[in-house]
Amino acid sequence: MLMRFTKMHGISNDYVYVNGFKETVADPCQVAIKISDRHTGIGSDGLVLILPSETCDFRMRMFNSDGSEAEMCGNASRCVGKYVYDNGLTTKTKVTLETKAGVKILNLHLGADGKVETVTVDMGEPILTPSLVPVVSDLQQVVAQPITVLDVDYKFTAVSMGNPHAVVFLKDSVEDFPLEKIGPHFENHSFFPRRTNTEFVNVIDDKTLRMRVWERGAGETMACGTGACGTAVAACLNGLTGRKVTIRLNGGDLLIEWDEATNHVFMTGSATTVFSGDIDV
């Protein structure tokens, strides 16, 4: 059976997008595994289904490259905004999106060609209560919590942006950090009952951070929008930055603002269409 798809990326965090208004994906977990393979499939960090919603303009379901379903992906949500506008599914430039992590509001910014160039996403309030992140702790917030991984001591700050994040600030260069070796041990550590995404971060200055990410169910990716938001919150909680920061990821930059008045986190970044096609699933 042929499935129509569009490959898109948000600062190189790439997914395969399927229009659920026209296509039916019977087993999205297996399809995600098949199409994500960079040797025998399309090649991506996962699969995103754009679906009808009873409560919002659209609904998004997102599956990692290992077939597991994730609650939310910030970079993917920006691409959903671009897809629905550029493909005529909406004429709105302010779109509500239903996700497993709640409703997200997308503000679409058009380029000179009349297509979406960048998107600002209202990511909502960060979740810091340990039981809701979730992370195992009796504290009210987990900030600079000691953790030992492969006999090395680190400190992490736990934040959920609808999915769990453990943010680790490094003194040594994150460029040389052995992410593929250390990342899986953070992801599956007993602190995290639903596994975790882990961000390893250098502070450049009080307005700039450099981040690499190990994503739960996907490994290292070029970027992670929810991870960037969690990192900005963690940096502020640790007194390392203010509330508005630029985060440099492997795939590009994101501007993140943790608004003091609303307690909401706003993420602004690009969304790019790569190509469309058909694949036998």
Side-chain angles (χ1 to χ4, degrees):
M1 182 182 72
L2 289 179
M3 179 186 76
R4 188 69 179 169
F5 71 88
T6 298
K7 180 169 176 175
M8 307 180 74
H9 74 88
I11 59 170
S12 298
N13 191 192
D14 60 335
Y15 290 91
V16 171
Y17 293 77
V18 175
N19 181 351
F21 290 81
K22 294 183 177 180
E23 304 283 344
T24 299
V25 182
D27 189 347
C29 298
Q30 288 304 311
V31 170
I33 294 170
K34 176 182 175 67
I35 57 96
S36 296
D37 192 291
R38 297 188 185 274
H39 299 286
T40 61
I42 299 166
S44 70
D45 291 325
L47 169 71
V48 174
L49 304 181
I50 302 171
L51 301 161
S53 171
E54 295 182 357
T55 57
C56 295
D57 295 316
F58 301 95
R59 179 165 68 100
M60 177 179 86
R61 292 185 71 190
M62 177 254 177
F63 298 84
N64 295 310
S65 57
D66 68 351
S68 61
E69 185 169 6
E71 299 90 343
M72 171 59 184
C73 174
N75 291 319
S77 68
R78 296 201 312 278
C79 289
V80 169
K82 178 174 176 63
Y83 184 99
V84 297
Y85 187 89
D86 288 1
N87 287 281
L89 277 67
T90 185
T91 57
K92 297 179 179 180
T93 55
K94 185 174 183 178
V95 175
T96 56
L97 182 65
E98 178 187 352
T99 77
K100 288 176 70 75
V103 176
K104 307 303 175 187
I105 300 173
L106 315 178
N107 286 284
L108 314 180
H109 312 299
L110 308 184
D113 60 357
K115 295 185 177 182
V116 174
E117 190 170 88
T118 62
V119 180
T120 299
V121 185
D122 181 346
M123 300 289 287
E125 299 185 60
I127 298 168
L128 303 174
T129 304
S131 62
L132 300 179
V133 172
V135 57
V136 177
S137 176
D138 294 328
L139 300 172
Q140 290 186 333
Q141 294 181 3
V142 176
V143 177
Q145 168 69 45
I147 185 173
T148 302
V149 173
L150 296 182
D151 298 322
V152 178
D153 295 330
Y154 302 90
K155 291 181 179 180
F156 76 92
T157 297
V159 182
S160 172
M161 293 302 307
N163 53 358
H165 294 275
V167 183
V168 180
F169 295 99
L170 300 174
K171 292 182 179 179
D172 296 329
S173 172
V174 71
E175 312 300 341
D176 302 322
F177 187 76
L179 193 62
E180 290 190 359
K181 177 181 178 181
I182 303 299
H185 293 277
F186 268 91
E187 176 182 351
N188 295 287
H189 196 281
S190 58
F191 266 126
F192 311 109
R194 287 168 51 196
R195 299 186 295 161
T196 191
N197 305 281
T198 312
E199 288 73 37
F200 299 93
V201 186
N202 287 151
V203 178
I204 306 302
D205 55 45
D206 63 357
K207 295 181 180 179
T208 315
L209 303 171
R210 168 69 174 110
M211 177 189 118
R212 290 174 65 193
V213 57
W214 181 267
E215 287 204 54
R216 178 184 58 167
E220 182 174 15
T221 58
M222 295 294 286
C224 176
T226 57
C229 293
T231 294
V233 171
C236 188
L237 290 174
N238 282 275
L240 300 172
T241 67
R243 287 178 168 265
K244 189 173 184 178
V245 295
T246 296
I247 300 189
R248 298 175 179 170
L249 303 101
N250 286 357
D253 293 353
L254 289 174
L255 178 64
I256 311 295
E257 181 174 6
W258 184 16
D259 184 64
E260 189 168 8
T262 63
N263 198 39
H264 284 218
V265 180
F266 294 88
M267 172 189 62
T268 301
S270 62
T272 305
T273 298
V274 184
F275 61 86
S276 296
D278 299 282
I279 187 171
D280 187 353
V281 294

